[in-house]
Amino acid sequence: MFQQRIDRARHLMAEQQVDVLLLSVGADLPYFCGYEAMALERLTMLVVPRDGDAHLIVPRLEAPRVVERPGVFQTVPWDETDDPIEMVCSLIGRASTAAIGDHTWAGFLVDLTKVLPSVDFRRASELTSPLRSVKDAAEVESLRAAAAAADRVAVDLRSGDIELAGRTEAEVSAELGRRLLAEGHQRVNFAIVAAGENAASPHHEPGERVIKPGEIVLCDFGGTMMNADGVGYCSDITRCVHLGEPPAELDKAYDVLFEAQAAQVAAAVVGQQCQQVDRVGRAIIAEAGFGDNFIHRTGHGIGTEAHEDPYIVEGNDSALRPGHAFSIEPGIYLPGRWGLRLEDIVVAAADGPDNLTTTDHRLAVIDA
């Protein structure tokens, strides 16, 4: 699998006249070699020449964490007194164009440009994003497993099994994270819990605000689950709970949101423009009078990163392809009052949109 991915990358390297691919920290590295580097000041870098063998430069103290993959890459450990930049340069050879990982530390890039002033450095994402954005069948199943685990936590949330009233947002956020781990995730990427007026801030940071009866509670959470190859795939889900009967205005707004999100999922078919999926739901929300209250894109791609291509947003006229995986998450936000969001992970499939998150989409109403 990893060799096939490198082979596809080399095909694009030839098309784009890139001599070498350099991948450090970030999601590209595990995608191509199965190893996730720690974000340390010590350089880890996968060097993939267009022609020739791939090498993984790694600090010797980190080398035991690397799963050797003969025929895919050769591990080259470096000691504390070695110069890893020099080692990378020796493997680059006479390359004139290098695609370097977007998340590579700036300091390493500066060091490389000093030693290799004639090399034209480009973003690796120009090569890697087109490959990573189209998931194969095994990747879809990895995403499905992560989504199912997040779904189980969402069911607990909607059922009232996770206590809300009288607890702080931070306490509930921590519990969501614990439950994600218990359901098989290796890492919690985020667990937004936003009550009442805080729900009007889409990326609210859970704090010491106590959740009260009579309020909306917006919960958006997800993490990373490793598959059998040691590569992590992400989950992401948003559901809303109201403690007690919701006011009529909020109830109406949620009905609009429910309709818009369902229409966007249905529109996410192979061949459809990403921006058109965004437009479908945005038109429904605008017609109901909440157009100015939908303040973000409809969705983002998901895979080894929580946010990656393709982005479901106005201006992205690229067409959905089989294997594209992305969120559909419209929202309605009234500043100082409340906010609503409804999110699923969807895969564009040959026979129609494949919704990976199945937890009840209706507004959950729990006795406070």
Side-chain angles (χ1 to χ4, degrees):
M1 177 188 72
F2 294 110
Q3 187 60 58
Q4 291 173 353
R5 291 175 177 178
I6 289 177
D7 289 344
R8 290 199 296 270
R10 284 185 168 132
H11 179 74
L12 289 181
M13 290 166 70
E15 286 186 354
Q16 298 182 21
Q17 296 185 320
V18 171
D19 297 316
V20 64
L21 178 63
L22 305 173
L23 302 177
S24 187
V25 294
D28 280 339
L29 186 63
Y31 180 84
F32 284 102
C33 75
Y35 174 66
E36 184 171 355
M38 298 179 70
L40 301 173
E41 74 285 359
R42 298 179 175 93
L43 177 64
T44 295
M45 183 161 281
L46 180 67
V47 181
V48 183
R50 189 167 64 196
D51 301 300
D53 297 332
H55 293 81
L56 180 65
I57 303 293
V58 63
R60 189 172 296 279
L61 79 166
E62 294 297 321
R65 298 177 56 241
V66 177
V67 176
E68 299 287 351
R69 302 187 190 278
V72 180
F73 63 88
Q74 179 182 340
T75 304
V76 183
W78 60 271
D79 295 309
E80 298 284 11
T81 55
D82 291 332
D83 183 349
I85 295 294
E86 182 179 297
M87 297 170 71
V88 170
C89 291
S90 69
L91 293 170
I92 289 176
R94 299 179 130 187
S96 60
T97 304
I100 190 164
D102 292 32
H103 295 286
T104 304
W105 284 28
F108 295 137
L109 177 56
V110 169
D111 291 344
L112 285 167
T113 56
K114 285 181 180 178
V115 181
L116 302 167
S118 63
V119 173
D120 174 23
F121 284 94
R122 304 178 184 176
R123 287 188 176 198
S125 58
E126 295 173 9
L127 284 165
T128 62
S129 287
L131 298 176
R132 285 178 40 202
S133 67
V134 177
K135 276 66 180 179
D136 61 26
E139 289 183 287
V140 171
E141 291 312 304
S142 293
L143 285 169
R144 194 184 309 279
D151 255 339
R152 292 190 289 271
V153 178
V155 168
D156 292 342
L157 173 70
R158 287 180 47 83
S159 70
D161 187 58
I162 298 175
E163 188 176 354
L164 298 175
R167 302 176 75 190
T168 66
E169 295 170 334
E171 288 171 338
V172 176
S173 174
E175 181 167 351
L176 290 173
R178 288 193 297 270
R179 292 191 182 224
L180 277 175
L181 296 176
E183 291 291 350
H185 284 63
Q186 276 67 45
R187 183 163 60 239
V188 178
N189 296 334
F190 54 88
I192 297 171
V193 176
E197 72 285 350
N198 288 342
S201 173
H203 282 175
H204 173 68
E205 184 72 23
E208 296 308 306
R209 161 72 151 77
V210 175
I211 300 169
K212 306 168 191 172
E215 293 186 324
I216 191 73
V217 184
L218 184 156
C219 297
D220 179 350
F221 51 92
T224 300
M225 178 181 283
M226 299 295 178
N227 66 14
D229 294 307
V231 181
Y233 285 83
C234 297
S235 64
D236 192 353
I237 188 170
T238 307
R239 292 294 186 268
C240 291
V241 175
H242 200 278
L243 301 181
E245 286 300 316
E249 181 187 27
L250 186 149
D251 201 35
K252 172 193 170 185
Y254 193 89
D255 286 344
V256 172
L257 184 67
F258 180 94
E259 179 186 356
Q261 201 261 358
Q264 288 178 313
V265 171
V269 297
V270 171
Q272 182 69 277
Q273 288 185 345
C274 292
Q275 65 181 3
Q276 186 59 34
V277 178
D278 180 271
R279 290 171 181 171
V280 166
R282 202 169 294 275
I284 292 171
I285 291 172
E287 185 176 353
F290 295 108
D292 292 339
N293 305 106
F294 182 8
I295 58 176
H296 54 71
R297 65 193 175 207
T298 286
H300 54 81
I302 190 168
T304 51
E305 281 185 293
H307 287 196
E308 59 183 46
D309 286 330
Y311 292 94
I312 311 302
V313 64
E314 181 65 34
N316 185 0
D317 62 0
S318 60
L320 291 174
R321 297 174 57 189
H324 273 158
F326 44 88
S327 68
I328 296 291
E329 49 178 310
I332 297 174
Y333 309 94
L334 272 62
R337 299 180 60 196
W338 44 261
L340 305 169
R341 185 161 65 253
L342 178 59
E343 177 184 17
D344 289 325
I345 298 303
V346 178
V347 176
D351 56 353
D354 182 4
N355 195 337
L356 304 188
T357 35
T358 61
T359 303
D360 196 333
H361 293 68
R362 294 169 297 179
L363 178 63
V365 178
I366 297 176
D367 292 335

